[in-house]
Amino acid sequence: MAKPQGAQYRGSVRDFPDFDPGQDAEALYSAMKGFGSDKEAILELITSRSNRQRQEISQSYKSLYGKDLIADLKYELMGKFERLIVGLMRPLAYCDAKEIKDAISGAGTDEKCLIEILASRTNDQIHQLVEAYKDAYERDLEADVIGDTSGHFQKMLVVLLQGTREDDDVVSEELVQQDVQDLYEAGELKWGTDEAQFIYILGNRSKQHLRLVFDEYLRTTGKPIEASIRGELSGDFEKLMLAVVKCVRSTPEYFAERLFKAMKGLGTRDNTLIRIMVTRSELDMLDIREIFRTKYEKSLYSMIKNDTSGEYKKALLKLCGGDDDAAGQFFPEAAQVAYQMWELSAVARVELKGTVHAAGHFDPDADAKALRKAMKGIGTDEGTILDIITHRSNAQRQQIRQTFKSHFGRDLMADLKSELSGDLARLILGLMMPPAHYDAKQLKKAMEGAGTDEKALIEILTTRSNAEIQAINEAYKEDYHKSLEDALSSDTSGHFKRILISLATGNREEGGEDRDQAREDAQEIADTTSGDKTSLETRFMTILCTRSHQHLRRVFQEFVKKTNYDIEHTIKKEMSGDVQDAFVAIVQSVRNKPLFFADKLYKSMKGAGTDEKTLTRIMVSRSEIDLLNIRQEFIEKYDKSLHQAIEGDTSGYFLKALLAICGGDD
């Protein structure tokens, strides 16, 4: 595959030096001759040649033996390995054509495959695909896509199939403003949605122009274009438009995300994995690898290694081209992504929304009586208890507690504690506590007994606002007759203790950003070589624990500009243990707090066991603040809803209560 004149080659597979197609054809014939086949020799040879060289080998093979090489490979190999090797033997356009033919053949349609290919290809690649499809199947690709899809999804696919996106040098500031206005009026300002405007602008404008449109849209509306698309569109059409936006922002990042989702969790989406590794190996695999490592804190190579096996694994690793974890580097391309991410974080105005709201027509008297009845006599009506408590706001629950005591002379919390048990009891009792007292109790529990739950201390103290921290201090003093600072001092030590006590004062600055100060702060923490480790940690603490979140976003952006490293990477490289965990939590919370909690929830449920304490703590404490935002981040990152994750990982009334708090399935 020829690389553009003057451009740096970013593929992982290159032309093989001293190439001899006749010799390679003979080697492949020998590997497939007789009983069985030498799969190792086949994969070693084919993954070490460029696509152009593979076509020459195919021609030599036919000339020498009068046989079709792809047909012989299909006969000798099987399963995923065969699909991968045969995919490599086809020219890119014919590989895409085959994938699309498979996606629209038979009973169902593989919409994800259609979206991935048509949203990510350039004009030239689209034109070559259309010609290859016609040549291979003697059919019109557009007609087949129209016959297998419908609605706005179909219309956008047809627009993309024209391959008429404007070139990147086509940018007009005036038109940028007009497109922003048109998109805003077509979605957010309209009752219903004018899908045609989204299709026209996102399907035809140049990538460079659209990047400016997305930046201006965020500045004008306070919302990323992705948030508007999710709010206004739905189904496969929504997924297609989001894929287009992602590819406009960064095609390698889009593919890094697709690869991660293909391998995470139980089972592997091998068709997706094969398709991307084959089609990007001579285009941008190095960029994909670099972004993958930055985003997911592991190399693409290591994830493939752990998720596949046999010759199939060996061939994929050859296409990957190297293990970035071994290099221990942070890459310029990844730094560029980090810089853009901090810019997005700095200007976005996110409206935080909970999932639990005050009940309409609230009657604390009726609720108190219903709860007493549910706990009176033999047995307990758990269904009634969870139905009332999960559908009332915290303020309403406090009214119910007061009414319950006035009516029955009993402590509702004590009654619930005696009637319920296990995870359900922890969840319901947590919901019944005022938020500050609940957080205070979680901090107390984290410091009780032999060990300390540092993760819980970090999670709470790095994510609460000044007002919340001050309320927690008062609640802690009231409930445990000891100051939170004294408790932290006696249960933690060293620099970690200093960080927690600094956060527990609740004195973080609350102003906006100061660009000049941000540059100074970035410089202060940029020089990791000056002074010892203690000095470095002190400098980080002075800034990360005291500056406002708005200001820190600019500090972290300036840090990338000065060092070509993301702040999180530097912390992980230079620090360790609880200090590292605390600073990373601050950075992640500053960047995107709902995503921070989405990650915590995912980790609490992944793998063999469930961390019910973390799951309960987050669901209770975020239910009236930003749990809806957390849900949105969860499905975006992990490709499944929080509702589905809870459903697959918990059971009984605990499951029902969690789903009620979750508030819906995305």
Side-chain angles (χ1 to χ4, degrees):
M1 196 174 297
K3 68 177 182 178
Q5 192 67 33
Q8 185 187 8
Y9 183 70
R10 300 298 294 161
S12 55
V13 175
R14 298 172 176 272
D15 283 342
F16 189 75
D18 304 319
F19 172 61
D20 185 336
Q23 192 175 319
D24 284 350
E26 287 176 22
L28 288 171
Y29 184 75
S30 297
M32 293 186 283
K33 196 168 67 172
F35 185 73
S37 56
D38 185 348
K39 298 179 182 66
E40 188 85 34
I42 293 169
L43 82 85
E44 186 63 37
L45 192 150
I46 290 176
T47 58
S48 300
R49 307 300 185 266
S50 67
N51 194 279
R52 177 187 61 77
Q53 290 174 332
R54 292 181 208 125
Q55 305 319 308
E56 290 187 45
I57 295 168
S58 282
Q59 290 166 4
S60 293
Y61 194 89
K62 184 162 275 188
S63 300
L64 286 168
Y65 306 109
K67 300 177 74 169
D68 181 67
L69 177 53
I70 286 182
D72 279 4
L73 288 166
K74 279 184 172 180
Y75 180 79
E76 292 290 335
L77 309 177
M78 58 188 293
K80 297 173 286 194
F81 181 54
E82 178 245 309
R83 187 180 179 95
L84 175 62
I85 293 298
V86 169
L88 287 168
M89 290 306 304
R90 293 190 177 101
L92 177 62
Y94 284 81
C95 186
D96 279 350
K98 175 72 165 65
E99 290 292 318
I100 286 187
K101 186 74 169 67
D102 289 348
I104 56 180
S105 294
T109 304
D110 183 354
E111 290 86 1
K112 286 183 178 176
C113 173
L114 291 179
I115 290 169
E116 179 197 297
I117 292 174
L118 297 181
S120 65
R121 300 315 192 240
T122 64
N123 286 348
D124 286 345
Q125 288 167 342
I126 291 286
H127 298 152
Q128 290 163 21
L129 162 61
V130 170
E131 289 172 21
Y133 193 90
K134 186 86 170 172
D135 180 49
Y137 306 111
E138 298 180 347
R139 297 178 64 87
D140 181 68
L141 177 53
E142 184 179 320
D144 281 1
V145 166
I146 289 171
D148 210 64
T149 58
S150 60
H152 298 297
F153 178 58
Q154 177 199 88
K155 289 173 188 170
M156 184 62 178
L157 290 175
V158 169
V159 167
L160 294 172
L161 274 170
Q162 305 315 300
T164 53
R165 187 177 294 286
E166 294 164 348
D167 294 327
D168 269 355
D169 55 359
V170 181
V171 175
S172 155
E173 284 186 28
E174 209 172 285
L175 190 56
V176 166
Q177 297 292 338
Q178 186 60 53
D179 282 349
V180 168
Q181 191 61 33
D182 288 347
L183 286 170
Y184 193 48
E185 288 176 0
E188 299 284 343
L189 295 182
K190 190 178 176 67
W191 182 258
T193 307
D194 182 358
E195 289 87 353
Q197 279 286 19
F198 279 85
I199 290 170
Y200 176 73
I201 294 170
L202 268 64
N204 290 284
R205 299 289 191 240
S206 74
K207 283 190 170 187
Q208 185 56 35
H209 176 88
L210 285 173
R211 287 182 198 113
L212 296 174
V213 169
F214 299 160
D215 290 346
E216 188 57 36
Y217 189 92
L218 181 62
R219 275 192 287 272
T220 303
T221 68
K223 269 189 172 184
I225 187 70
E226 292 91 337
S228 291
I229 287 171
R230 285 192 198 97
E232 299 297 327
L233 312 180
S234 62
D236 293 324
F237 180 47
E238 175 196 338
K239 292 187 182 83
L240 174 58
M241 299 307 258
L242 286 172
V244 168
V245 170
K246 284 174 184 174
C247 288
V248 165
R249 290 196 188 279
S250 169
T251 305
E253 186 173 4
Y254 171 71
F255 282 115
E257 185 181 304
R258 291 281 292 156
L259 285 168
F260 178 75
K261 289 179 178 177
M263 290 182 282
K264 73 176 179 62
L266 293 174
T268 304
R269 296 173 194 176
D270 294 291
N271 287 359
T272 301
L273 178 56
I274 290 166
R275 182 170 59 245
I276 297 172
M277 295 303 291
V278 167
T279 58
R280 310 312 293 187
S281 60
E282 295 182 50
L283 294 174
D284 51 6
M285 186 56 69
L286 297 184
D287 295 328
I288 292 168
R289 274 170 41 185
E290 291 165 1
I291 291 167
F292 190 99
R293 183 171 173 272
T294 304
K295 241 186 138 168
Y296 303 112
E297 300 174 25
K298 66 178 80 176
S299 68
L300 175 59
Y301 188 97
S302 66
M303 196 159 185
I304 291 170
K305 194 173 178 180
N306 293 330
D307 212 63
T308 57
S309 60
E311 281 84 11
Y312 175 52
K313 173 170 81 172
K314 290 176 186 174
L316 286 170
L317 293 178
K318 287 277 289 180
L319 295 179
C320 184
D323 187 356
D324 302 312
D325 281 347
Q329 297 172 6
F330 188 83
F331 304 98
E333 290 80 4
Q336 197 173 18
V337 171
Y339 184 85
Q340 290 166 350
M341 179 187 62
W342 283 117
E343 175 65 27
L344 191 69
S345 178
V347 295
R349 297 194 298 276
V350 179
E351 185 184 355
L352 298 178
K353 294 180 180 178
T355 54
V356 174
H357 309 283
H361 310 296
F362 172 58
D363 185 345
D365 189 62
D367 284 348
K369 287 175 181 173
L371 287 170
R372 176 69 180 140
K373 185 180 177 185
M375 294 185 283
K376 202 172 171 186
I378 299 169
T380 306
D381 181 358
E382 289 93 345
T384 295
I385 293 170
L386 77 87
D387 187 55
I388 291 173
I389 291 174
T390 60
H391 291 94
R392 305 296 184 268
S393 68
N394 194 277
Q396 290 175 331
R397 292 182 207 123
Q398 303 317 311
Q399 289 184 57
I400 295 169
R401 280 180 72 174
Q402 188 59 53
T403 305
F404 193 89
K405 183 164 270 190
S406 300
H407 275 349
F408 307 112
R410 301 173 67 92
D411 179 14
L412 177 55
M413 293 289 280
D415 281 6
L416 287 167
K417 202 169 185 178
S418 68
E419 293 291 329
L420 306 175
S421 63
D423 296 325
L424 179 64
R426 275 191 290 273
L427 179 65
I428 295 298
L429 290 167
L431 289 168
M432 289 304 303
M433 295 180 76
H437 289 266
Y438 180 70
D439 277 348
K441 184 174 183 180
Q442 297 308 301
L443 291 169
K444 179 76 163 58
K445 280 182 171 291
M447 293 183 279
E448 273 176 351
T452 303
D453 184 351
E454 292 86 0
K455 284 185 169 60
L457 296 178
I458 290 168
E459 177 203 302
I460 294 169
L461 293 175
T462 59
T463 58
R464 302 313 193 244
S465 67
N466 283 349
E468 288 168 334
I469 291 283
Q470 285 153 14
I472 291 168
N473 274 294
E474 289 172 18
Y476 200 95
K477 187 83 171 173
E478 181 185 333
D479 294 345
Y480 307 112
H481 312 293
K482 183 178 183 179
S483 75
L484 176 57
E485 183 178 329
D486 287 346
L488 290 167
S489 292
S490 60
D491 205 67
T492 57
S493 62
H495 222 88
F496 181 54
K497 176 175 83 174
R498 291 177 60 200
I499 293 166
L500 293 181
I501 289 174
S502 176
L503 293 170
T505 60
N507 285 325
R508 185 181 289 284
E509 295 167 0
E510 293 185 332
E513 63 188 69
D514 179 333
R515 290 293 184 107
D516 291 335
Q517 184 64 51
R519 280 188 281 273
E520 286 180 28
D521 288 345
Q523 188 61 53
E524 177 72 16
I525 56 177
D527 187 4
T528 56
T529 58
S530 69
D532 57 16
K533 189 177 177 184
T534 303
S535 165
L536 177 65
E537 290 173 351
T538 300
R539 281 184 280 134
F540 268 77
M541 189 187 85
T542 303
I543 291 164
L544 269 64
C545 295
T546 63
R547 304 289 194 257
S548 74
H549 281 199
Q550 188 65 28
H551 179 79
L552 282 175
R553 291 184 185 105
R554 287 299 181 196
V555 173
F556 299 155
Q557 190 179 33
E558 290 295 331
F559 185 88
V560 177
K561 196 189 290 183
K562 287 178 186 296
T563 66
N564 214 27
Y565 285 78
D566 185 50
I567 187 75
E568 190 174 330
H569 175 269
T570 297
I571 291 168
K572 287 177 178 174
K573 184 182 175 189
E574 299 294 333
M575 299 172 198
S576 60
D578 297 327
V579 169
Q580 179 195 93
D581 292 343
F583 284 146
V584 166
I586 292 169
V587 170
Q588 291 177 346
S589 179
V590 167
R591 181 188 289 131
N592 184 333
K593 197 179 289 184
L595 178 57
F596 171 81
F597 283 116
D599 286 340
K600 293 282 181 195
L601 285 170
Y602 177 76
K603 286 171 184 171
S604 76
M605 292 182 280
K606 76 165 188 168
T610 304
D611 178 358
E612 289 88 359
K613 288 181 182 177
T614 300
L615 175 58
T616 299
R617 185 172 60 245
I618 295 173
M619 294 296 288
V620 168
S621 63
R622 310 314 294 181
S623 58
E624 293 183 53
I625 300 172
D626 55 2
L627 191 52
L628 187 62
N629 306 81
I630 292 167
R631 270 172 41 185
Q632 291 165 349
E633 295 292 349
F634 194 99
I635 194 168
E636 171 65 20
K637 182 163 181 181
Y638 297 110
D639 215 21
K640 70 174 171 183
S641 67
L642 177 57
H643 183 104
Q644 290 168 326
I646 292 169
E647 211 167 31
D649 215 63
T650 58
S651 60
Y653 285 111
F654 181 52
L655 162 67
K656 289 178 183 175
L658 286 171
L659 292 182
I661 299 169
C662 184
D665 188 357
D666 303 299

